[in-house]
Amino acid sequence: MKKERVTGLIEFLGLIIGCISMAVGINTFLKPHTIAPGGLSGLSVVLNKATGISVSAIMLLIGIPLVIFAFKILGSKNSVKTLVGTVLFSLIVNVTSPLADLGATNDLLLSSISGAILLGIGIGIMFRVDASTGGTDLIALILSKKFPGIKPTKFMICLDAFVVISSGIASQNIEIALYSAIALYVVVKVADAIMEGFDYSKAFFIISNHSDDIKSVITRELDRGLTVLDGRGGYTNEEKQVLLVVVSKNQEVYLKKLVKTADPSAFIIVSNVHEVLGEGFKKLEN
């Protein structure tokens, strides 16, 4: 029970911090120029421009009915959580609305990027703590239930594209739609980075005729374990060992040098690994 309370508190704090970051980004940088990088917040900015109704009020008018319609999809617990997030986000947007009058910058590109970064940070934080403020993802879920042959992600892409295009129509400026598209791209990238974390590792797949020498130098110089996989060349049909080793990003260059020293003709595949659990890395938790 204590652990559940701590988890709930962390989730609520993450929701508040995320909402503040998003609200500041919307009111300071995006709303003054009608830059709408998709989502319910972007749609609210567009409707605010068209109708004059406050962004926070539009969020409530759209968000609350969405949560009610999606009740069966989300379940009672998640529906209540999403409803709380929707109301809280709308309130914080309303409280921070005076920021729109500050005139932080008149540069559209700077505004779109700055606002998108804050929006992406907020979304990423909420994703990490499993919080939610609802939004166009709920519309996508509802539509996917109505049209089961179409994936929710495709509806989300269409909805975000509609919001981006609408920003240009509402402002009567095609450049605003282009800046909104840039902002949408930045939001997605920043949210992914926050959600996945910056402390990533590197996974090496090493194929060599001198695998024993490479194994020896890795365990001796890097003090890292590795896994030996059995492989076979598709063209030569020759049996070969494939060495799998995961290292921190700081050890990437050094490992390449070690492999080159042991076998300059080794074949190496390097990929980013955003989470490694176990001995020598992050502890595996329940």
Side-chain angles (χ1 to χ4, degrees):
M1 184 63 70
K2 186 177 180 180
K3 187 176 180 180
E4 289 180 359
R5 288 180 179 177
V6 172
T7 302
L9 179 61
I10 292 173
E11 186 176 299
F12 187 67
L13 288 174
L15 177 61
I16 293 175
I17 294 170
C19 286
I20 291 173
S21 179
M22 292 171 66
V24 171
I26 290 169
N27 284 318
T28 306
F29 299 106
L30 303 180
K31 179 187 171 184
H33 306 291
T34 322
I35 298 171
L40 178 58
S41 57
L43 180 60
S44 299
V45 168
V46 172
L47 293 176
N48 165 258
K49 178 72 174 180
T51 65
I53 302 173
S54 69
V55 172
S56 58
I58 293 172
M59 285 181 176
L60 286 175
L61 289 171
I62 298 176
I64 291 177
L66 277 179
V67 177
I68 295 173
F69 278 123
F71 190 89
K72 289 185 178 180
I73 300 173
L74 297 175
S76 57
K77 182 180 178 181
N78 287 329
S79 293
V80 172
K81 185 170 67 175
T82 304
L83 183 60
V84 171
T86 301
V87 174
L88 182 62
F89 184 36
S90 300
L91 290 174
I92 293 176
V93 168
N94 187 51
V95 170
T96 58
S97 59
L99 292 174
D101 300 324
L102 291 179
T105 176
N106 290 321
D107 189 305
L108 289 174
L109 181 59
L110 186 59
S111 294
S112 62
I113 293 175
S114 300
I117 289 174
L118 289 171
L119 203 60
I121 289 173
I123 292 172
I125 290 172
M126 286 193 288
F127 278 163
R128 292 205 68 157
V129 298
D130 195 29
S132 175
T133 60
T136 51
D137 54 333
L138 291 183
I139 300 177
L141 285 172
I142 293 170
L143 289 173
S144 68
K145 288 292 182 180
K146 185 71 175 178
F147 305 98
I150 304 176
K151 294 181 180 179
T153 50
K154 291 186 177 180
F155 282 118
M156 289 186 68
I157 292 171
C158 293
L159 290 167
D160 286 337
F162 170 76
V163 172
V164 166
I165 294 170
S166 298
S167 67
I169 296 173
S171 60
Q172 297 182 348
N173 188 344
I174 188 63
E175 287 188 352
I176 296 297
L178 297 176
Y179 284 119
S180 297
I182 292 172
L184 176 58
Y185 178 81
V186 174
V187 167
V188 172
K189 290 299 180 182
V190 173
D192 284 344
I194 295 296
M195 190 169 58
E196 295 174 350
F198 294 97
D199 188 22
Y200 59 88
S201 301
K202 294 284 185 174
F204 279 68
F205 291 89
I206 306 167
I207 303 172
S208 169
N209 292 323
H210 303 278
S211 56
D212 289 336
D213 295 335
I214 295 174
K215 280 188 290 184
S216 177
V217 74
I218 289 174
T219 53
R220 185 178 68 250
E221 298 293 336
L222 288 179
D223 192 28
R224 286 288 184 192
L226 50 82
T227 301
V228 180
L229 307 173
D230 292 326
R232 186 174 64 185
Y235 180 73
T236 63
N237 208 35
E238 181 182 350
E239 300 288 341
K240 286 192 177 183
Q241 290 184 335
V242 180
L243 306 181
L244 168 60
V245 57
V246 180
V247 297
S248 65
K249 60 183 178 182
N250 297 327
Q251 296 176 312
E252 178 186 4
V253 175
Y254 188 42
L255 177 54
K256 288 178 181 177
K257 289 180 178 178
L258 292 176
V259 174
K260 184 179 179 180
T261 301
D263 181 10
S265 61
F267 185 80
I268 305 174
I269 301 172
V270 185
S271 62
N272 290 331
V273 180
H274 290 282
E275 189 171 26
V276 184
L277 306 175
E279 187 175 351
F281 294 92
K282 192 193 306 183
K283 185 180 293 185
L284 182 63
E285 299 178 354
N286 294 328

